[in-house]
């Protein structure tokens, strides 16, 4: 039997079933059409929401500054929660709060970002922001743990080196010179030919030179300084 004849014969045998179930098939076709329509409408709404969120964030960044920028970004984050622009707005709002010295509020927003969007590609930056906010409030022990967590749990090289440098700075401030020098040395060797490696190498050399004398036993910790945000999200 030829393929065309076989197909015709199969269709002929199938036709009685089609006639018997015509109404059911019609309902099924209608359901498929409805499902396609719903999916298309949802996709359209999602795309439009993403576009609207992007425009709102751009407007907030262009027209805002300082505290106004933070408020505007956080409003976008709330109004367009879940969108890519909304996620970025939350992080920018937190960074703006930090930049204006509102460290406690910045801490809250960085933590909110990590809790809400743990898989976001900017989570390492948020983790650094959280640690820096704690550091700026003088919560050194909590900041130290947060820096460790940010560096250990991130595969991002920038996050790792920024966190390690902050840890070295804290160790240095607390007078733990050997520990600080080791961290600076690790940075210099792990990230050669970078500006932060040069700075780390310089700090290590200064520490070894300054505290190499046998007469020096326990050096006084350098004056604490307010950490700067290890990221730049505000354009």
């Amino acid at each position: 039997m030829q393929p065309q004849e076989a197909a015709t014969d199969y269709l002929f045998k199938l036709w009685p079933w089609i006639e018997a179930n015509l109404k059911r098939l019609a309902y099924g076709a209608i359901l498929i059409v409805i499902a396609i329509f719903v999916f298309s409408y949802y996709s359209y709404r999602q795309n439009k929401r993403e576009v609207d969120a992007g425009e709102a964030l751009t407007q907030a960044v262009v027209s805002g500054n300082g505290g106004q920028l933070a408020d505007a970004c956080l409003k976008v984050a709330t109004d367009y929660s879940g969108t890519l622009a909304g996620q970025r707005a939350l992080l920018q709002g937190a960074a703006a709060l930090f930049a204006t010295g509102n460290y406690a509020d910045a801490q809250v927003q960085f933590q909110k970002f990590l809790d809400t969007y743990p898989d976001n590609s900017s989570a390492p930056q948020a983790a650094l922001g959280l640690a820096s906010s704690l550091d700026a409030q003088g919560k050194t022990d909590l900041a130290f743990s947060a820096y460790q967590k940010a560096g250990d749990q991130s595969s991002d090289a920038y996050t790792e080196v920024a966190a390690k440098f902050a840890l070295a700075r804290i160790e240095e401030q607390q007078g733990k010179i050997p520990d600080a020098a080791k961290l600076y040395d690790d940075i210099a060797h792990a990230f050669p030919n970078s500006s932060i490696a040069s700075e780390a190498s310089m700090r290590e050399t200064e520490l070894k030179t300054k505290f190499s004398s046998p007469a020096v036993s326990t050096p006084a910790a350098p004056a604490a300084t307010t950490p700067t945000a290890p990221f730049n999200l505000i354009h």
Side-chain angles (χ1 to χ4, degrees), residues 25-100:
L25 291 173
Y27 287 151
I30 292 173
L31 289 175
I32 291 174
V33 170
I34 292 175
I36 292 174
F37 173 78
V38 171
F39 176 78
S40 299
Y41 181 75
Y42 176 78
S43 297
Y44 164 76
R45 291 290 299 174
Q46 283 295 102
N47 291 335
K48 185 177 185 306
R49 191 164 183 261
E50 287 285 358
V51 172
D52 291 345
E55 292 177 350
L57 178 57
T58 299
Q59 182 63 31
V61 172
V62 169
S63 60
N65 58 74
Q68 292 180 339
L69 174 60
D71 291 340
C73 286
L74 294 178
K75 185 178 187 305
V76 173
T78 299
D79 292 345
Y80 298 96
S81 176
T83 64
L84 294 177
Q87 295 173 43
R88 181 173 175 81
L90 178 56
L91 195 55
Q92 285 194 282
L97 287 171
F98 186 98
T100 54

Side-chain angles (χ1 to χ4, degrees), residues 6-235:
T8 302
D9 184 61
Y10 177 76
L11 182 59
F12 179 77
K13 293 178 180 179
L14 184 63
W15 187 251
W17 181 90
I18 294 176
E19 286 186 322
N21 295 274
L22 190 59
K23 185 178 290 186
R24 185 185 301 173
L25 291 173
Y27 287 151
I30 292 173
L31 289 175
I32 291 174
V33 170
I34 292 175
I36 292 174
F37 173 78
V38 171
F39 176 78
S40 299
Y41 181 75
Y42 176 78
S43 297
Y44 164 76
R45 291 290 299 174
Q46 283 295 102
N47 291 335
K48 185 177 185 306
R49 191 164 183 261
E50 287 285 358
V51 172
D52 291 345
E55 292 177 350
L57 178 57
T58 299
Q59 182 63 31
V61 172
V62 169
S63 60
N65 58 74
Q68 292 180 339
L69 174 60
D71 291 340
C73 286
L74 294 178
K75 185 178 187 305
V76 173
T78 299
D79 292 345
Y80 298 96
S81 176
T83 64
L84 294 177
Q87 295 173 43
R88 181 173 175 81
L90 178 56
L91 195 55
Q92 285 194 282
L97 287 171
F98 186 98
T100 54
N102 296 306
Y103 304 124
D105 291 337
Q107 175 193 338
V108 171
Q109 297 304 324
F110 281 125
Q111 186 63 65
K112 180 179 179 180
F113 183 92
L114 291 170
D115 292 340
T116 310
Y117 310 112
D119 298 324
N120 188 286
S121 60
S122 295
Q125 291 179 311
L128 281 176
L130 174 62
S132 295
S133 299
L134 291 167
D135 198 359
Q137 295 175 75
K139 301 177 180 179
T140 306
D141 291 340
L142 292 175
F144 193 89
S145 297
Y147 281 128
Q148 285 183 317
K149 184 176 181 180
D152 293 344
Q153 295 184 356
S154 174
S155 59
D156 178 66
Y158 173 79
T159 298
E160 181 184 351
V161 68
K164 187 169 287 189
F165 198 94
L167 289 171
R169 175 179 52 78
I170 292 176
E171 297 277 31
E172 183 180 351
Q173 289 174 358
Q174 294 180 339
K176 300 175 182 178
I177 303 306
D179 293 335
K182 184 180 185 306
L183 285 170
Y184 285 133
D185 183 68
D186 290 344
I187 295 169
H189 285 85
F191 304 92
N193 303 319
S194 65
S195 59
I196 197 166
S198 299
E199 185 175 354
S201 181
M202 180 183 68
R203 292 299 304 145
E204 179 192 8
T205 300
E206 289 179 357
L207 290 178
K208 288 183 176 180
T209 300
K210 186 174 182 179
F211 300 108
S212 60
S213 172
V216 178
S217 54
T218 304
T225 57
T226 300
T228 56
F231 43 77
N232 183 17
L233 296 171
I234 305 173
H235 303 289

